[in-house]
Amino acid sequence: MPDYIIVGGGTAGCILAARLSEDPDVSVVLLEAGPPDTDRYIHLPVGFFKMTSGPLIWGYDTAPGKAIDGRTMVYPQARVLGGGSSINAQVFTRGCPQDYDGWSTEEGCAGWSYAEVLPYFIRSEGNDTFAGPQHGIDGPLGVSSGAPHPLTRVFVKAAQQAGLPFRADFNDGQQEGAGFYQTTTRQGKRSSTAVAYLKPTLGRRNLTLRTDATVSRIIVENGRAIGVEIIANGRAELLRAGREVIVTAGAIGSPKLLMLSGIGPAAHLGAHGIKVIHDLKNVGQNLHDHMDVDVVAELNGPHGIDRYKKKRWQAVAGLEYALFGKGPVASNIVEAGGFWWGDRAEKTPDIQFHFLPGAGVEEGIGSVPGGNGCTLNSYHVRPRSRGSVTLRSADPRDPPVIDPNPFAERYDLERAIDGIEISREILSQPAFAKYISREHLPGAATKGRAALEAFARQHGRSAYHPVGSCRMGGDADSVVDPELRVRGLGGLRVCDSSVMPGIVSSNTNAAVIMIAEKAADMIVGRSQPPAQQSYSSRNIEGGGKSARL
Ligand SMILES: Cc1cc2nc3c(=O)[nH]c(=O)nc-3n(C[C@H](O)[C@H](O)[C@H](O)COP(=O)(O)OP(=O)(O)OC[C@H]3O[C@@H](n4cnc5c(N)ncnc54)[C@H](O)[C@@H]3O)c2cc1C
């Protein structure tokens, strides 16, 4: 019998398996519903564009959203070893210190202030560029600065012309400005947590990895999780854990599994004929996500990566990568972006931008009529709207009902409009003048905030960052306590994106990595590293020179 069963071999699960099995006297089983990460596109940074559809995701759609004209949205979530870290866009950002300080002071999550979690960010990071008190250079996770596409460089210049200062490092405690993103890559290859953490440990005799193994239920006896039921090769199987069951099935998978196991809101479970083991009303609540809105411009020539849609150019790029490990194949496409204010009353920037030197890269976004385009998308980083994950039925094979409830709060919609206006401002700067022929989306005819609001409602889409559905908190109503233990049960923790009480002000993977690193210490009872007070909370005051900024 293993000591620990980890359910879900995604970003967090691979880290926990690697860290917990460092002790040879402890045995660990990692269970992943999806296949091994053998698809070659996973490992090519550019392969991201193929990942938002296809066989390595769960194929979810959201429930119709009231504030998005009743639309459903495709909702790509990974179903493969490495989870999101195997299919994501590899943009490496931590959020801002104030996010974690808020968890600590406002949500009662003792031990989660930025000073206390910074040592875990540093422990994880093997940065190829930045060192010093904010960064790690020896950690397992490859973090690299890229060789940006020429059009990406144009974006960074245009953003400065629009009034955003250049920012070299988005992870040094301050975010405002525009610059080049670092990515979770190492020497031109994706650095997923499966590659960075798990693979080097798979020879350990105390660690067992099982892929294509879906956990259908956590088994609870006398108030304690004692094991799981697995469905593998069409057969059900019971597996017992000596110490703990650790759930890392992600912001959709974790609440689903708890509820299927009878842990969740009693009335909802009862409605599906599930025996209530533990009434925990907030399981599946508090789901939230970033809501992207894309501004797409048409280029007057093949200045971006759209030229690689042609076979001839693909062959050139393939050869460059094969010979030198460089070029467009080694790029995550989303090479630059920035952070700026929509609401000036906010202490830290509240809008994040991603620039893509192409159009129609991700699932659900069309390309431009002329064939060559570029995309500047933005989202409000601290949405106030809250939704839920609930069960469709008691059958583990059924997808849950996912309702991020985007734009339910008017405030979020206003920030989406701000994001579009700032994106337009950047794309209309002199640096872009010789490349852009016209705005494709929303299109020049879409003028004024009311028209942009309609556009955001019709075109807003998930930025693939669901969090919060098994909320951590100091209060009795939270799903997990600050040690990530499921309230009211023994031997059971949730340690993934679902525990974030509030989403971080950026992409989410780095924060999940930190959560898993910290969870590993908490699970084995290792003392937490000393808090590290090494960022400045200075906020700059605007400084933009254009009318909008
Ligand atoms: C398309 C996409 C692009 C993204 N881009 C970025 C980016 O550029 N930068 C960034 O920082 N973040 C990005 N993210 C977000 C980031 O990757 C996620 O926040 C992170 O991966 C979440 O980690 P997790 O461990 O909580 O869940 P996941 O990594 O999703 O892992 C959950 C795992 O559990 C498995 N599982 C679920 N249910 C079961 C079950 N019942 N039994 C067994 N296994 C189960 C799943 O198959 C999955 O592998 C992106 C995400 C996506 C999907």
Side-chain angles (χ1 to χ4, degrees), residues 1 95-96 102 131 149 199 263 295 315 320 354 388 424 430 444 525 528 542:
M1 182 195 323
C96 62
H149 188 279
K199 293 266 162 73
I263 304 163
V295 175
E320 185 181 6
H354 297 91
S388 61
R424 280 180 150 179
Q528 306 278 304

Side-chain angles (χ1 to χ4, degrees), residues 380 382-386 405-417:
H380 173 216
R382 290 182 289 277
R384 296 177 179 181
S385 307
R386 293 293 183 268
N405 206 11
F407 298 148
E409 295 284 336
R410 170 100 218 150
Y411 182 85
D412 297 347
L413 200 48
E414 295 289 343
R415 301 293 74 75
I417 299 167

